[in-house]
């Protein structure tokens, strides 16, 4: 029995040890929303880029917890960057209190979606690693359908910056 188990697990262990370590994406997103300043560390395993060197699609996810290590603020920012000019940006922010969602805000590129714009300050592509700095601004509102239709009647202005290094999605 021992030898059969060993024979079964030996290739699995070897495969696991031979797998290259995945590089973690790093950085942070700083923003001001409705007068509140937040700095959110990038979620390395949830942030990446895909596409080509001249037309990357960037997906950033960041999260910060309160002083008790609970009830995070979660933010995602995504955009395409054909010839390093950002387009079709989307921004989502979710707040938790007592482990429950208490606020979900959305913003998009179109005027009726919050007129979100992204500006790149710098970019550096080194193999599969992309380093970016930039800024964004717009208005965030609520949505009953995950951002497809955004209600800006009580919109909250948002502006921020990002300084990140992300790995290419395989």
């Amino acid at each position: 029995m021992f030898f059969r188990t060993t024979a079964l697990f030996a290739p699995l262990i070897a495969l696991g040890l031979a797998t290259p370590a995945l590089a973690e994406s790093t950085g942070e997103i700083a923003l001001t929303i409705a007068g509140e300043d937040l700095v959110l560390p990038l979620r390395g395993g949830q942030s990446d880029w895909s596409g080509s060197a001249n037309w990357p699609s960037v997906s950033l996810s960041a999260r910060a917890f309160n002083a008790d290590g609970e009830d995070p603020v979660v933010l995602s920012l995504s955009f395409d960057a054909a010839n390093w000019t950002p387009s079709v940006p989307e921004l989502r922010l979710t707040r938790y209190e007592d482990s429950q969602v208490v606020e979900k805000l959305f913003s998009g590129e179109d005027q009726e979606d919050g007129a979100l714009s992204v500006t790149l300050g710098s970019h550096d592509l080194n193999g599969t690693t992309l380093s970016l700095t930039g800024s964004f601004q717009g208005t965030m509102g609520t949505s009953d359908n995950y951002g497809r239709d955004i209600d800006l009647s009580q919109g909250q202005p948002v502006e921020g910056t990002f300084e990140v290094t992300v790995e290419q999605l395989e």
Side-chain angles (χ1 to χ4, degrees):
M1 176 76 169
F2 173 76
F3 292 111
R4 273 191 260 161
T5 305
T6 302
L8 178 64
F9 285 115
L12 295 175
I13 291 171
L15 181 62
L17 294 175
T19 303
L22 297 176
E24 279 290 309
S25 299
T26 60
E28 66 183 22
I29 300 174
L31 70 145
T32 302
I33 181 162
E36 178 185 11
D37 294 327
L38 299 168
V39 177
L40 304 151
L42 204 65
R43 297 175 68 191
Q46 302 295 317
S47 300
D48 53 53
W49 73 277
S50 61
S52 68
N54 293 325
W55 195 314
S57 293
V58 178
S59 178
L60 306 176
S61 178
R63 173 177 65 186
F65 293 92
N66 66 15
D68 296 327
E70 301 171 345
D71 298 329
V73 173
V74 180
L75 178 128
S76 66
L77 172 64
S78 61
F79 56 91
D80 287 345
N83 293 316
W84 301 104
T85 301
S87 63
V88 294
E90 293 182 356
L91 182 64
R92 297 173 183 221
L93 183 136
T94 306
R95 291 179 190 267
Y96 292 83
E97 288 180 11
D98 298 323
S99 300
Q100 300 294 316
V101 173
V102 295
E103 183 176 48
K104 279 191 172 192
L105 299 173
F106 303 85
S107 187
E109 181 176 44
D110 295 334
Q111 189 68 35
E112 66 269 11
D113 292 335
L116 180 65
S117 64
V118 172
T119 303
L120 289 182
S122 67
H123 67 275
D124 180 44
L125 182 57
N126 184 0
T128 61
T129 303
L130 175 61
S131 297
L132 293 170
T133 64
S135 60
F136 57 92
Q137 65 179 18
T139 302
M140 300 194 81
T142 58
S143 177
D144 293 331
N145 54 17
Y146 301 100
R148 190 170 6 146
D149 300 303
I150 300 173
D151 179 2
L152 297 174
S153 62
Q154 296 180 3
Q156 299 183 35
V158 63
E159 63 181 14
T161 61
F162 53 89
E163 185 172 341
V164 298
T165 299
V166 292
E167 294 298 321
Q168 186 173 23
L169 182 65
E170 295 181 5

